[in-house]
Amino acid sequence: MHQVKIIGSTKTYPVGKIIGLGRNYLEHIRELGNKVPERAVIFCKPASSLLHEGGAIKIPEYSNDCHHELELALLVGKPGKNIREESALAHLSGYAVALDLTLRDLQSELKSKGLPWEVAKGFDTSCPLSDFTAADRVSDPNNLELCLKVNGEIRQQGNTAQMMRSVEEIIAEISTFYTLEAGDIILTGTPAGVSRIISGDQLEGTIEGVGSLQVSVA
Ligand code: MG
């Protein structure tokens, strides 16, 4: 079973659900030509998709177009259902840097057929994740600079202030569908700038005040 930890703490969390949020930054919706959703676009990645700091991404041979998506990750520490926005942050134990890797060619094919596209998001190593920084060390999760470099070149740059749904709104909305449990991880969507990664690429994601994540492509 996959475990995650909080920096400076001996406590570990067995990973439960990994819930991704799609289309949460307007510029990213525009770059993919998608519509602005009325309801949050929610999908799950299996815990087997996790890749820890320093690991190597393995792009499946059935895809030729794997995209990086840099995202702020939330770690649920306190369970809840129908959580109110006012108390949402109290359910979090930590924040981390994550990549929501996406097989864009497979996703587009499945989308065009009206089929679920989760398999384009859930392959092994599709969720690189840094260790978590304790939630009480992050004063405002809705105002954090994000930056992703590939081979030293900036590909994605944004701020969580650009999210269409705040961290509190995301937790409240997801918890109307799913009970959130300790060890669940939420990926909050990606800013603009997604693009293809290929074998040999070195990726470095940073989120101000949260941490950094370095992985390579096998
Ligand atoms: Mg994403």
Side-chain angles (χ1 to χ4, degrees):
M1 185 174 253
H2 282 271
Q3 310 261 340
V4 291
K5 60 184 177 186
I6 292 177
I7 298 163
S9 159
T10 53
K11 193 170 178 194
T12 58
Y13 292 78
V15 176
K17 308 181 272 304
I18 303 173
I19 306 165
L21 191 68
R23 305 185 201 177
N24 199 30
Y25 288 78
L26 194 58
E27 291 304 313
H28 172 62
I29 293 173
R30 288 186 176 143
E31 75 180 344
L32 291 186
N34 284 321
K35 288 200 179 113
V36 175
E38 275 172 43
R39 271 191 195 166
V41 176
I42 292 167
F43 57 91
C44 287
K45 289 164 97 85
S48 53
S49 68
L50 280 177
L51 174 68
H52 297 284
E53 163 75 21
I57 297 160
K58 295 186 184 74
I59 301 171
E61 73 279 1
Y62 49 82
S63 173
N64 268 316
D65 196 17
C66 179
H67 277 195
H68 54 73
E69 295 188 359
L70 175 67
E71 314 203 357
L72 172 69
L74 318 176
L75 176 64
V76 176
K78 185 175 121 185
K81 172 87 175 164
N82 296 318
I83 296 167
R84 289 177 316 152
E85 284 175 33
E86 304 83 73
S87 54
L89 293 185
H91 288 263
L92 297 183
S93 285
Y95 298 93
V97 182
L99 292 170
D100 169 25
L101 298 177
T102 304
L103 306 176
R104 198 69 70 198
D105 46 359
L106 182 59
Q107 186 191 37
S108 299
E109 181 193 325
L110 292 166
K111 263 164 87 174
S112 72
K113 293 177 180 166
L115 293 168
W117 38 259
E118 285 200 351
V119 290
K121 292 275 195 182
F123 63 94
D124 290 357
T125 74
S126 66
C127 190
L129 184 71
S130 72
D131 284 338
F132 282 85
T133 291
D136 58 12
R137 299 185 69 104
V138 177
S139 57
D140 184 3
N142 295 302
N143 186 16
L144 299 171
E145 284 288 325
L146 307 100
C147 180
L148 178 75
K149 290 180 183 173
V150 179
N151 304 325
E153 201 173 283
I154 294 175
R155 293 265 189 97
Q156 288 190 273
Q157 209 162 20
N159 190 298
T160 55
Q162 299 162 331
M163 295 194 298
M164 296 166 67
R165 287 173 168 78
S166 68
V167 168
E168 293 89 335
E169 289 169 328
I170 291 168
I171 293 165
E173 189 162 359
I174 289 176
S175 74
T176 64
F177 298 109
Y178 301 140
T179 294
L180 291 175
E181 301 173 297
D184 287 348
I185 293 169
I186 297 170
L187 309 179
T188 53
T190 195
V194 301
S195 66
R196 186 182 180 216
I197 51 173
I198 57 169
S199 180
D201 281 347
Q202 305 283 332
L203 284 69
E204 183 182 11
T206 50
I207 301 179
E208 167 203 15
V210 170
S212 68
L213 167 71
Q214 296 193 41
V215 286
S216 58
V217 185

